[in-house]
Amino acid sequence: MINNPVNTLLKNSVWIALLSTLTACQVFQDTPSASAVLQSKSGSNLNGSVNFSQSGMKVLVTGTFSGLKPNAEHGIHIHEKGDCSSLDAMSAGGHFNPANSKHGNVQSASHHAGDMPNIMSDANGNANYKATLSNFSLVGDQAIIGRAVVVHRDPDDYQSQPAGNSGPRIGCGLIR
């Protein structure tokens, strides 16, 4: 069989395409992700879900919510325990805070690992949420899988200690 440069180029192109496809599949397969379905708590009508997707050192957090107070901000945090069994979600413990930092805004130097920007609801009490955070992870020492995400009735003021004066816990979901 004669080695034709066109055939060789074609074979090499096929191999490169195949390897690229396999590499891309491996990248997507290794991208950590998790989600939480919220249970209403403290007599609320909250429904929602939160998704987490890690890329490098950052975690994209997205969520959809209904049953919130209309045109209002609501605190949202990662809590230390993956336990939403109590009616008021107090079973989820305090904010996830492995470094024993003071509570604060994620844009400040000092804040809990579980601190997140507030949710803003629309006139119908619905909200779409999106934040890219680097204060926690889905793997390693700062991992949040197995912990709880909690939504509060009131906005986080980012100053009051230890938890931002966000009021009752109106939703709780186990991060899996």
Side-chain angles (χ1 to χ4, degrees), residues 56-155:
M57 300 299 289
K58 297 193 181 277
V59 177
L60 173 64
V61 182
T62 57
T64 56
F65 307 94
S66 64
L68 295 166
K69 180 179 173 185
N71 297 317
E73 286 186 77
H74 298 268
I76 180 171
H77 308 99
I78 305 301
H79 283 249
E80 60 188 342
K81 299 176 185 171
D83 182 355
C84 295
S85 62
S86 65
L87 295 176
D88 61 1
M90 293 303 287
S91 55
H95 292 180
F96 177 50
N97 187 19
N100 291 320
S101 301
K102 287 191 172 203
H103 174 72
N105 190 315
V106 294
Q107 296 176 356
S108 68
S110 180
H111 60 276
H112 297 157
D115 290 340
M116 296 168 59
N118 286 332
I119 300 166
M120 182 65 198
S121 64
D122 65 17
N124 296 314
N126 300 316
N128 290 312
Y129 184 83
K130 184 176 181 181
T132 302
L133 303 169
S134 58
N135 42 314
F136 54 74
S137 178
L138 299 181
V139 295
D141 294 341
Q142 300 288 324
I144 60 169
I145 294 175
R147 301 186 188 283
V149 59
V150 174
V151 175
H152 296 264
R153 181 192 67 198
D154 302 323

